[in-house]
Amino acid sequence: MTKKVKDRFIKSIAITIFILVSIAMVIKFQGALFLRMYVMFGIGDCAKIPILCMTPGERVISESFDQQEPEDFISHIFSDMSIRVPRGFTVVEREIKRVYYKKNKHIGKGAIIYLLYRPPGSFMSLYPQLKDSGVYSDYEFFRRLMFADERKIKSINDAFFVIMKGIFTPDLGDQTKVQMAALNLEEISGFINYNIGGKENYFDCNIFDSQGNYFKIYIRDTKAVLDLDKVLAIISTASAN
């Protein structure tokens, strides 16, 4: 190999290494940006869907509410779960469908409570690959989901939970006024997103009982008659059949 050929070979190797290093740097430092852009174009940014950049605050709702069940509560028994709620609300048990979470002309316009039940392990059985990233329970699945922040996407898993957050969040009115909090009662734990103080109140409760049963209780309080304590009393009555 002549010196000229050798120099050309070394130069080609150097250029190849430089290109590979450059690609690696782009993937490392710009990959997160590409993921964020993908999610933003796919489901919307934080300006359009503020809750994608909101997480539960430091407040943890615990045993500070009046657990005495109001007299106007009545029982509703479905195939998978039972619950007691105030009079004046239509109560509907639904499956996981788009109509459940999004505005639709077929959904009632009045005061309504939507219920969703899933037995222990349901979400982990749907997404077993999440165990590779340290998610071993349905509760941890929802904890990651609630703390997902579109601005902090750095990996495929981060993007996944932000997308799921958008899917699992129902209509909460003006999202800029939504409060998110962790929930830790004696027999129930989980998360509650709520918007109160306006003409209508909204409550989105994702809770687990001590056996790991999951309940989603979404309340659209069109007459603004419920406060947080009464909603906590409602969800404390939820049970699997």
Side-chain angles (χ1 to χ4, degrees):
M1 181 182 293
T2 64
K3 184 177 185 302
K4 185 176 181 179
V5 173
K6 184 177 181 180
D7 290 344
R8 187 182 302 161
F9 176 75
I10 293 174
K11 184 178 180 180
S12 298
I13 293 295
I15 292 173
T16 301
I17 293 174
F18 174 77
I19 292 173
L20 291 174
V21 170
S22 298
I23 292 173
M25 294 292 284
V26 168
I27 292 174
K28 180 177 181 180
F29 295 105
Q30 298 299 323
L33 177 60
F34 293 152
L35 279 172
R36 286 196 294 272
M37 291 176 62
Y38 175 82
V39 173
M40 287 170 59
F41 284 115
I43 64 174
D45 59 14
C46 298
K48 181 179 179 182
I49 309 177
I51 203 167
L52 296 182
C53 293
M54 300 167 62
T55 57
E58 294 182 359
R59 179 185 182 189
V60 177
I61 299 174
S62 57
E63 297 288 350
S64 60
F65 75 102
D66 183 3
Q67 296 189 59
Q68 185 174 359
E69 186 179 307
E71 295 180 357
D72 64 341
F73 274 29
I74 57 176
S75 295
H76 291 265
I77 302 174
F78 298 93
S79 57
D80 294 319
M81 65 173 289
S82 302
I83 195 169
R84 292 180 60 80
V85 306
R87 298 180 187 277
F89 284 84
T90 300
V91 183
V92 180
E93 184 183 37
R94 300 197 78 98
E95 296 294 323
I96 297 180
K97 295 180 180 179
R98 184 177 179 84
V99 67
Y100 177 86
Y101 304 109
K102 307 299 180 182
K103 293 181 179 179
N104 188 284
K105 63 182 179 180
H106 299 299
I107 292 180
K109 301 296 183 181
I112 196 163
I113 298 176
Y114 288 108
L115 307 174
L116 178 68
Y117 166 80
R118 283 292 179 270
S122 294
F123 295 97
M124 289 309 303
S125 64
L126 287 174
Y127 309 106
Q129 68 276 13
L130 291 175
K131 293 180 181 179
D132 295 335
S133 58
V135 180
Y136 296 103
S137 67
D138 288 349
Y139 177 85
E140 178 62 15
F141 173 88
F142 271 91
R143 192 192 71 80
R144 296 281 187 97
L145 185 153
M146 291 299 167
F147 280 90
D149 189 330
E150 189 178 71
R151 298 165 299 182
K152 299 179 180 180
I153 292 177
K154 295 181 180 179
S155 67
I156 293 294
N157 279 338
D158 292 341
F160 168 80
F161 282 112
V162 169
I163 293 171
M164 293 301 292
K165 188 175 187 177
I167 293 173
F168 272 85
T169 301
D171 177 23
L172 293 172
D174 182 356
Q175 286 192 5
T176 62
K177 298 179 180 179
V178 171
Q179 300 292 316
M180 302 179 68
L183 188 65
N184 186 18
L185 307 181
E186 183 176 353
E187 296 292 332
I188 295 175
S189 60
F191 303 90
I192 179 170
N193 309 322
Y194 58 96
N195 182 355
I196 58 178
K199 293 182 179 180
E200 297 183 351
N201 292 337
Y202 300 85
F203 303 90
D204 174 34
C205 312
N206 296 277
I207 61 172
F208 296 87
D209 65 13
S210 56
Q211 286 75 48
N213 293 294
Y214 166 77
F215 306 90
K216 186 177 187 72
I217 303 170
Y218 167 56
I219 304 173
R220 190 173 66 207
D221 178 16
T222 55
K223 296 181 180 180
V225 296
L226 300 179
D227 57 19
L228 193 56
D229 279 359
K230 184 164 284 190
V231 170
L232 294 178
I234 291 172
I235 66 178
S236 69
T237 69
S239 62
N241 292 339

